[in-house]
Amino acid sequence: NVNATLITADSLTVTAPNGLGATGANGTRALDTQVATVTSAAALTGGEINLAEVDGFDLVQVTAANGDVTITSATGPINVTNVTANTAGNTVTLIAEAGGITDADGGAANNVTATNLALSAATGIGTAANPLEVTVTNLEAEGGTGGVFVTDLAGGLIVGGVTPNLGNPALTGLLATGSDIVVTALSPLTINEAVADTGGGNIVLTAGASGAVDDLTLNANVTATGGNGRITLVAADSVLQNANVS
């Protein structure tokens, strides 16, 4: 919910010891912006970072030393270079209401660090050629018409168990209404909430080799509907099926 009072600029750098946009009711809690680039947003010792953008921006560096991070865009994309919530248990929530969430660095560098990550985008999260790289423990994502393309670098990923910040709508597992869902983890990869592609796209879930127990465990249904989408399950060690795959 973007308010009438905006911070308007080409580039924004904002720093505070105890949070950015950290007071008020959920719907009015954020700093409201209309900027092209957030060069740096930092909460140095504690507190949340909450930004609500009008028409999309590039996030170069956003760091909360001890608090959650919530960033929304009303009409444009969120292009992520680095967003970090440093303390164990913190959640990063990124919502592009009418656009996509992209990897702005164009390479394999990490884009998001947190314990919990909630992603919601109307037109896709990452791309097949350039997935969003993350270092998180728990993930939930809804990619809309553009699918979900995420690679976890942390050495163990759970799909499920994330509550989006500031009362934003709940997510469930991984969902896409178009394109594909491709999630790769440096093992193990555990699916505790449903994975569903309803737009005829493919689903690829990979627990890659990491030197630990490289299992893919399915504790919730994995479904591809709406077309001729394929489901591919890959594990360096074992695929453990405790739910339906269809």
Side-chain angles (χ1 to χ4, degrees):
N1 296 323
V2 176
N3 298 318
T5 303
L6 300 173
I7 299 171
T8 303
D10 181 62
S11 176
L12 174 65
T13 298
V14 57
T15 301
N18 296 315
L20 304 172
T23 61
N26 282 343
T28 58
R29 201 172 178 88
L31 293 181
D32 299 299
T33 66
Q34 190 168 22
V35 302
T37 303
V38 177
T39 303
S40 177
L44 298 178
T45 59
E48 307 164 1
I49 295 177
N50 304 314
L51 303 176
E53 165 65 18
V54 172
D55 54 11
F57 50 10
D58 299 333
L59 302 178
V60 177
Q61 186 71 48
V62 177
T63 305
N66 186 16
D68 296 331
V69 176
T70 306
I71 298 173
T72 65
S73 173
T75 63
I78 299 176
N79 306 312
V80 183
T81 299
N82 192 283
V83 175
T84 299
N86 272 324
T87 303
N90 287 154
T91 298
V92 170
T93 300
L94 304 179
I95 301 173
E97 296 177 3
I101 298 172
T102 70
D103 175 355
D105 65 37
N110 184 61
N111 302 120
V112 181
T113 302
T115 299
N116 306 302
L117 177 58
L119 301 171
S120 178
T123 61
I125 298 166
T127 65
N130 189 19
L132 195 71
E133 284 87 20
V134 304
T135 300
V136 303
T137 302
N138 294 76
L139 170 69
E140 293 184 13
E142 185 173 314
T145 59
V148 177
F149 300 87
V150 174
T151 297
D152 184 73
L153 308 175
L157 178 66
I158 298 168
V159 172
V162 181
T163 300
N165 299 329
L166 302 188
N168 281 295
L171 305 173
T172 300
L174 304 174
L175 173 65
T177 58
S179 191
D180 301 331
I181 296 175
V182 180
V183 172
T184 301
L186 288 181
S187 296
L189 174 57
T190 303
I191 308 300
N192 284 342
E193 294 184 9
V195 178
D197 192 314
T198 63
N202 300 318
I203 298 174
V204 182
L205 303 175
T206 302
S210 66
V213 178
D214 301 323
D215 292 342
L216 169 58
T217 302
L218 305 178
N219 296 324
N221 294 344
V222 179
T223 58
T225 59
N228 298 310
R230 298 180 179 181
I231 297 175
T232 303
L233 307 174
V234 180
D237 287 335
S238 300
V239 176
L240 307 175
Q241 183 181 355
N242 303 311
N244 294 327
V245 177
S246 61

